[in-house]
Amino acid sequence: MKGFVMSFICPDKNCNKCPRLLEFREVNKDKFPCYYNGAVPSFGELNAEILVVGMAPGLNGANQTGRPFTNDYAGDVLYPILKNNDLAKGTYGKIKNDGFELINVRVTNAVRCVPPQNKVIGEEVKNCGVFLLDELSAMPNLKIILVLGGVAHNAILSILGYRKADFKFKHGEKYKLDKHNLWLIDSYHTSRYNINTGVLTFEMFDEVIKKVKNSLTK
């Protein structure tokens, strides 16, 4: 991406920017002392051409394991389909050190700490935006941002300075972010709720991943 920098600000595990998330973290440290319970770092290499952005860690998923979408139903959808499309290798074992590797893909969240009721607020997305923008700027080969859900979609537009009215969230939509020479591709989130209600199917998400791969050559 334009403006590439050699290093970026990674949020401290005990980041205290968001009072509500900090309070929830302290509660979870007491309830789940063996969990990661902190700002979850991204997964994958900075030299990747594809960045997948979700909303936030799940309580018993990334908040437990310390790796995005890991031990979470959303990861049960995301990671096998990435592997089926040659964008990952190894066995996804739902733990951080399972040896599973991403190929040309990096995965992160708009908000790095688990939120109460799995819902983030605008202030939290804004506070975490500095980390997301810095991360994008540190990816020299970035070509495609795949956003999972409207929160991630709007977070990307906000940090890059685009009008949301010009880029409506729509599953399967592909937008060119001309100022940054990037493609933005939308997908419904791979959450259990979306799968169970039929809002998103495995086949629909596979089609989106194929669109992402095809866009690398365009």
Side-chain angles (χ1 to χ4, degrees):
M1 192 181 86
K2 294 178 182 178
F4 168 65
V5 295
M6 291 303 295
S7 62
F8 73 102
I9 304 170
C10 182
D12 183 86
K13 178 182 178 181
N14 297 309
C15 178
N16 60 4
K17 279 180 171 287
C18 304
R20 190 180 76 114
L21 301 185
L22 176 60
E23 180 180 359
F24 192 52
R25 180 195 304 151
E26 294 305 313
V27 171
N28 288 322
K29 283 181 178 179
D30 291 335
K31 290 177 65 175
F32 309 108
C34 294
Y35 279 20
Y36 182 79
N37 289 319
V40 177
S42 303
F43 177 34
E45 301 298 327
L46 281 170
N47 62 5
E49 295 179 290
I50 302 164
L51 180 66
V52 179
V53 184
M55 184 186 72
L59 176 60
N60 298 304
N63 180 64
Q64 177 185 356
T65 62
R67 192 177 75 180
F69 289 83
T70 301
N71 198 45
D72 193 309
Y73 185 88
D76 295 348
V77 181
L78 172 65
Y79 289 133
I81 291 179
L82 287 178
K83 182 178 178 180
N84 289 345
N85 284 278
D86 300 317
L87 292 173
K89 63 181 180 180
T91 300
Y92 169 56
K94 302 186 182 184
I95 59 174
K96 186 173 184 178
N97 298 316
D98 54 10
F100 189 72
E101 296 180 41
L102 300 178
I103 301 173
N104 204 26
V105 176
R106 187 172 172 89
V107 178
T108 193
N109 279 303
V111 174
R112 309 298 175 94
C113 297
V114 61
Q117 289 84 49
N118 198 36
K119 294 179 180 179
V120 299
I121 60 177
E123 179 185 7
E124 292 156 0
V125 178
K126 182 178 180 181
N127 287 344
C128 226
V130 63
F131 303 119
L132 186 56
L133 178 59
D134 216 35
E135 186 164 8
L136 264 62
S137 299
M139 298 182 69
N141 303 317
L142 184 61
K143 294 181 179 179
I144 298 168
I145 302 174
L146 170 62
V147 290
L148 305 184
V151 170
H153 173 92
N154 290 334
I156 290 295
L157 295 177
S158 292
I159 64 173
L160 293 180
Y162 292 91
R163 278 171 28 98
K164 295 172 187 173
D166 296 333
F167 302 88
K168 298 287 188 180
F169 176 81
K170 181 181 179 181
H171 177 78
E173 190 62 81
K174 175 180 173 181
Y175 294 109
K176 187 62 181 292
L177 304 180
D178 289 316
K179 291 187 297 183
H180 297 85
N181 194 29
L182 294 171
W183 288 109
L184 177 69
I185 298 179
D186 289 342
S187 174
Y188 293 129
H189 199 284
T190 56
S191 67
R192 184 189 299 272
Y193 177 83
N194 283 345
I195 296 294
N196 286 348
T197 58
V199 170
L200 180 69
T201 65
F202 284 78
E203 293 76 17
M204 288 169 62
F205 190 64
D206 184 71
E207 289 176 6
V208 169
I209 296 301
K210 284 180 168 55
K211 177 176 286 190
V212 169
K213 283 194 70 176
N214 290 337
S215 299
L216 287 175
T217 60
K218 297 179 181 180

